[in-house]
Amino acid sequence: MSGSASTPVSSAGVSWGTPAARWMLAATVLGSGMAFLDSTVVTVALPAIEQELDTGLAGQQWIVNGYMITLSSLILLSGSLADRFGRVRLFMAGIAVFAVASALCSMAPTLELLVAGRVAQGVGGALLTPGSLAILQAGFREDDRARAIGAWSGLTGVASAVGPFVGGWLVQIGDWRLIFLINLPLAAVVLAIAWFKVPESRDPSAPQNLDYGGALLGVVALGGITYALIQWGAVGATPAVLVGAGVGVVALVVFLVVEARRRAPMLPPSIFRSVPFSVTNAATVMIYAALGTLLFLLVIHLQEVGGFSPVAAGAASLPLTVLMLLLSARSGDLASKIGPRPQLIGGPLLLAAGLVYLSRMPTDPGYLVDVFPGILLVAMGMSATVLASAAQRHAGLASGVNNTFARGAQMIGVAAVPALAGIGGGSGGQAGASALAQGFGPAMLILAGLAVVAALCAVALPRGRMPEAREAAERGTAPEEAPVAEPENEEHGPFFCGVSGPPMRSCPGSSAGGEEEGPAAGDGR
């Protein structure tokens, strides 16, 4: 890729405010923003897709989870791939795969081809999103790295916020296929910037033998379990459903055995020796299973049962994104002073209260009375939970594991909770809307129970301030300046991931920005 030769960068990295820095931010923000935008607009378009392709609820679940299966399974591996083969190269590969998959989705005449396109989009998303963070961490000077990643977080958060409006507007003025076509010009712009303006970087010390087998087993395990859960709700415990469940469980067991025996595993078991880290990941599973399922069911319920327009239904969850953007700094600062435990107990309880409120939603809801108060409680709970713990800033592997669990939990929640609540996965049209109206309340109560379990998990966390905050106070430095160890070396408090993206300060599986980082740039492509 000859473009790298025209944009050399010193080994110390680029400085904030320079043209090279602006190009780097433009490429990574537009690339990640494209993926985040797509994840929100697809949910808004699900009822329109159901009407054209006659998907039923099971089909809608597959449209969402097809993307999550490959994304969850590959996000840990992609950081290591970027270190070995080049971060910009892998980022561009992810953009290209995502664009081609988006084109396939836009032309899909059947549900099966649409789901295939979504699976391919998940592969692209797994490559490009952590790759964008690795580019920033390796490309910017150490003093400017936090500022660059903060800008990335805020700007991509805006993309997530406008997604429901964009998706709803495209569905209303034209066709749901437009939500995939808008990715193509964005991808072309990102590829051009990355090719000509963003310098390549890699880690010469990156492992040569990557855990491809572990990644494949992860895809099979998540795919089999997801298939069994979705089809169980649609057709019951048929032989095919039982076989799918068996394949998924066996693949999961083999995955755990392989990871325990590999010299350089994708998911080393030793990372769970820290009790706080393990407890926190258990809470992560509960919280994101609740949140992901809520966002999935709410948008569909408001349109198919409540008669909301696509734009209005998509905008219903806007307070969640807005509050998290507004409260990020304050919540993180508070957690660094008093410790994350109080917020990580109170946050899930607020989330549970919001879900209980939403469980009483009538079939003809008014937004200000029946929807907004519950969403506001959910938003406050998630703001306290996610952003109080974001200041912990584990290294890449630990935060990547937490991110993977968050994504996987959303996928399992979307697959399992509708069936548990009695919402028939195989029905569509009026019958599907009736089943959704009856099962929405029980589904919200199930999710509230998950949130309460998350709060109970947080009770097991140690009291007091986070380790880096205590160390910084003793030295008289800011918490951000304190060193952070991997969880297997020191017990840490929790780290939660963003709703639509990876951890704000770490790249899953990648050494970008770490002490072991090799020559950062100018390697050539």
Side-chain angles (χ1 to χ4, degrees):
M1 297 182 188
S2 58
S4 62
S6 63
T7 56
V9 64
S10 69
S11 59
V14 302
S15 300
W16 180 264
T18 62
R22 287 190 286 271
W23 284 120
M24 194 177 296
L25 270 176
T28 55
V29 167
L30 286 175
S32 299
M34 178 181 68
F36 296 170
L37 182 71
D38 187 86
S39 66
T40 53
V41 300
V42 168
T43 304
V44 176
L46 287 176
I49 297 174
E50 196 280 331
Q51 290 180 9
E52 179 174 335
L53 300 183
D54 192 24
T55 63
L57 182 64
Q60 294 172 319
Q61 290 170 294
W62 272 115
I63 293 168
V64 172
N65 282 348
Y67 179 79
M68 287 292 183
I69 287 172
T70 45
L71 181 69
S72 302
S73 304
L74 301 177
I75 198 168
L76 278 175
L77 178 66
S78 64
S80 298
L81 287 171
D83 287 344
R84 179 178 176 183
F85 296 108
R87 288 149 188 153
V88 178
R89 178 177 285 112
L90 202 75
F91 174 72
M92 292 179 65
I95 294 291
V97 170
F98 198 89
V100 172
S102 297
L104 174 62
C105 291
S106 70
M107 298 182 291
T110 64
L111 172 64
E112 290 75 16
L113 286 177
L114 178 57
V115 172
R118 292 287 287 163
V119 170
Q121 275 191 318
V123 175
L127 297 177
L128 74 91
T129 307
S132 66
L133 278 171
I135 290 170
L136 295 179
Q137 292 193 59
F140 273 87
R141 294 188 312 130
E142 184 176 356
D143 291 344
D144 294 328
R145 197 174 293 153
R147 189 175 183 181
I149 296 176
W152 177 91
S153 300
L155 292 171
T156 50
V158 171
S160 299
V162 303
F165 292 103
V166 173
W169 177 68
L170 290 173
V171 170
Q172 286 188 196
I173 68 166
D175 190 278
W176 61 265
R177 298 176 188 276
L178 294 175
I179 67 174
F180 297 108
L181 286 175
I182 63 173
N183 293 330
L184 303 186
L186 283 174
V189 171
V190 174
L191 288 173
I193 296 174
W195 179 278
F196 292 107
K197 296 295 184 180
V198 181
E200 182 60 284
S201 67
R202 58 174 57 85
D203 181 6
S205 64
Q208 297 299 304
N209 297 319
L210 300 181
D211 191 6
Y212 299 110
L216 178 61
L217 285 169
V219 172
V220 175
L222 291 176
I225 293 171
T226 300
Y227 171 83
L229 291 172
I230 292 176
Q231 294 304 111
W232 169 52
V235 299
T238 64
V241 169
L242 296 177
V243 169
V247 169
V249 171
V250 170
L252 179 60
V253 172
V254 174
F255 171 80
L256 295 175
V257 172
V258 169
E259 296 303 284
R261 294 183 177 180
R262 278 189 62 90
R263 179 172 299 178
M266 181 176 69
L267 183 63
S270 61
I271 201 172
F272 296 102
R273 290 175 183 170
S274 166
V275 173
F277 180 75
S278 298
V279 168
T280 299
N281 277 279
T284 298
V285 169
M286 303 300 168
I287 290 169
Y288 279 95
L291 180 66
T293 310
L294 166 65
L295 296 177
F296 171 75
L297 290 176
L298 180 65
V299 172
I300 298 175
H301 183 276
L302 291 178
Q303 292 184 70
E304 295 189 354
V305 179
F308 280 48
S309 68
V311 171
S317 60
L318 183 61
L320 176 62
T321 303
V322 171
L323 274 181
M324 291 184 68
L325 289 172
L326 293 177
L327 297 179
S328 58
R330 294 181 180 178
S331 185
D333 290 343
L334 179 61
S336 68
K337 295 176 181 178
I338 67 173
R341 188 173 180 268
Q343 288 164 267
L344 295 175
I345 294 174
L349 293 179
L350 282 173
L351 172 61
L355 292 166
V356 170
Y357 189 94
L358 292 172
S359 70
R360 53 177 291 278
M361 187 184 301
T363 55
D364 55 343
Y367 180 74
L368 290 179
V369 175
D370 300 310
V371 182
F372 179 72
I375 290 296
L376 186 61
L377 286 170
V378 169
M380 293 172 61
M382 289 303 301
S383 297
T385 301
V386 177
L387 300 170
S389 55
Q392 184 59 25
R393 300 186 182 109
H394 283 315
L397 176 61
S399 54
V401 170
N402 194 262
N403 188 312
T404 299
F405 281 11
R407 301 283 191 156
Q410 292 180 25
M411 179 185 65
I412 297 299
V414 169
V417 171
L420 293 173
I423 304 174
S427 57
Q430 189 61 39
S434 177
L436 182 59
Q438 294 178 8
F440 184 81
M444 294 300 103
L445 293 178
I446 293 172
L447 301 182
L450 294 178
V452 171
V453 173
L456 294 176
C457 290
V459 172
L461 294 173
R463 298 177 183 272
R465 299 163 68 184
M466 293 178 289
E468 69 268 26
R470 292 196 299 268
E471 295 170 6
E474 294 173 358
R475 294 193 309 271
T477 58
E480 290 79 6
E481 299 172 4
V484 179
E486 283 286 332
E488 61 267 34
N489 298 327
E490 178 180 352
E491 289 197 353
H492 282 298
F495 185 108
F496 284 104
C497 310
V499 175
S500 300
M504 290 188 282
R505 292 299 304 268
S506 302
C507 175
S510 173
S511 62
E515 294 179 358
E516 67 276 10
E517 177 73 10
D523 296 356
R525 289 181 239 159

